[in-house]
Amino acid sequence: MKLDTQKLLIEMANACMTITELAEKSSVSRPALTKITTGKGNPKPATIGKLAKALGVKVEDLIERGE
C-alpha cells in the first residue's frame, strides 16, 4: 500500500487543513507529515489510517491504485 501524495494534498485542501492542523488532529508528528507530503517518506498503513480518519475520508481515497 502506497500513499498518493497528490490525493493527500487534495483532501487537505478540501478540508481547508494545514499540515500543522492535520498533524494535531491525526497524532502524526509535523516533521513526519512534512516528509510524507513532500514524497520523502513512505508511511505505514496505520499512519495512512490516522490521516484518513483525521480528514474524514476512506483509506482507499489516499492510496495509489494498483494497476
Side-chain angles (χ1 to χ4, degrees):
M1 174 178 351
K2 185 164 170 50
L3 179 74
D4 186 322
T5 306
Q6 226 25 52
K7 289 181 180 180
L8 174 62
L9 294 172
I10 290 168
E11 292 301 341
M12 287 174 63
N14 284 335
C16 300
M17 200 175 289
T18 65
I19 288 177
T20 302
E21 292 167 334
L22 181 56
E24 291 172 4
K25 193 168 181 180
S26 66
S27 299
V28 175
S29 74
R30 191 180 188 291
L33 194 49
T34 299
K35 283 183 181 180
I36 292 167
T37 57
T38 57
K40 296 178 183 170
N42 188 19
K44 296 178 182 177
T47 303
I48 297 173
K50 288 179 182 180
L51 297 173
K53 186 173 182 180
L55 289 166
V57 299
K58 295 178 182 179
V59 169
E60 293 86 349
D61 295 335
L62 298 179
I63 59 172
E64 293 181 357
R65 297 201 185 267
E67 297 188 30

